[in-house]
């Protein structure tokens, strides 16, 4: 297979384009860019910096990938952006390279959908099957697990963790960590419950969902201290990998506090 480059596109010497890559009108591809097989740049796409893009990605007009971090400490260091396979990156979406202080790498997984004007900040690590709805924004150093959905116009504060299968409602301002399978809403966001719709869509069994609901009620009940409830939940549901994923997420060292319910569960 050959590479297709529109006559109006600019592809720098040194860029590496695999078989089947298509570079559309008025695109700009930098000299340190690597693009995997069958990836398509529609038109007016800018890919710069030390950016590696995997296979079969579809990148739409005016997306900018690999731009410098929006951070005053960045002084032009050769940091990186890595994007996986089979993503759809829509118009005006932006993904920045990392910073030296943050490890030098922004990493985006595979099979994601990044809608219009969504943003992945420097040093973020984003899992697979993630959806950022229109104008959703990730500050620097955010960690998103697999199957996370971030609603339209929602913003996730820098250094915040969002566990796998969590749902963030539209317009939410997320300044605290979100447990796996959780659903949060509001400004500032609070935990509303579990992401039951997402769990059902992804084929989690009724038994698993009921176990998660029981664990959630125990973990966020009014009785005792939170630490006591955490240990009770860990003992009671030790055989559930999904519940233990929540427990381990909470126990892990974190720079942000935990997003909690506003009311009784």
């Amino acid at each position: 297979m050959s590479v297709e480059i529109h006559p109006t596109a600019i592809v720098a010497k040194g860029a590496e384009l695999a078989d089947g890559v298509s570079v559309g009108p008025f695109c700009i591809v930098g000299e340190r860019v690597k693009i995997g097989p069958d990836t398509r740049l529609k038109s007016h796409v800018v890919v710069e910096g030390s950016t590696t893009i995997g296979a079969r990605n579809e990148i739409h007009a005016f997306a900018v990938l690999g731009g410098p971090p929006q951070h005053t400490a960045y002084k032009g260091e050769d940091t990186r952006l890595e994007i996986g396979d089979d993503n759809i990156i829509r118009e005006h979406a932006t993904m920045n390279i990392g910073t030296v202080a943050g490890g030098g790498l922004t990493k985006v997984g595979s099979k994601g959908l990044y809608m219009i004007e969504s943003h992945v900040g420097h040093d973020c690590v984003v899992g697979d099957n993630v959806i950022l709805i229109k104008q959703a924004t990730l500050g620097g150093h955010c960690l998103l697990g697999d199957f996370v959905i971030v609603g339209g116009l929602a913003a996730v504060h820098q250094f915040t963790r969002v566990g796998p299968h969590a749902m963030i409602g539209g317009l939410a301002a997320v300044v605290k960590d979100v447990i796996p399978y959780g659903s949060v809403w509001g400004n500032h966001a609070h935990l509303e419950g579990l992401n039951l719709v997402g769990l059902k869509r992804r084929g989690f069994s009724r038994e698993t969902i009921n176990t998660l609901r029981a664990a959630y009620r125990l973990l966020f009940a009014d009785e005792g201290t939170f630490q006591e409830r955490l240990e009770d939940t860990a003992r009671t549901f030790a055989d559930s990998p999904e519940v233990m994923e929540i427990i381990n997420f909470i126990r892990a060292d974190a720079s942000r506090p935990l997003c909690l319910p506003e009311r009784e569960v």
Side-chain angles (χ1 to χ4, degrees), residues 178-194:
V178 180
I179 60 170
Y181 314 102
S183 176
V184 303
W185 188 268
N187 185 1
H188 288 11
H190 57 271
L191 194 62
E192 279 284 332
L194 295 170

Side-chain angles (χ1 to χ4, degrees), residues 126-149:
V126 179
D128 298 334
N129 298 284
V130 166
I131 299 176
L132 299 191
I133 297 174
K134 297 175 183 178
Q135 297 181 318
T137 297
L138 306 182
H141 311 276
C142 292
L143 303 179
L144 267 66
D146 297 341
F147 291 98
V148 168
I149 299 176

Side-chain angles (χ1 to χ4, degrees), residues 180-181 204 208 211-212 239-247:
Y181 314 102
F204 283 78
T208 296
T211 298
L212 280 167
D239 293 334
S240 169
E242 293 81 13
V243 173
M244 292 310 299
E245 186 171 17
I246 297 174
I247 299 299

Side-chain angles (χ1 to χ4, degrees), residues 86-98:
D86 300 299
N87 293 290
I88 298 174
I89 300 174
R90 293 300 302 265
E91 296 84 354
H92 296 274
T94 54
M95 299 179 181
N96 294 159
I97 57 176

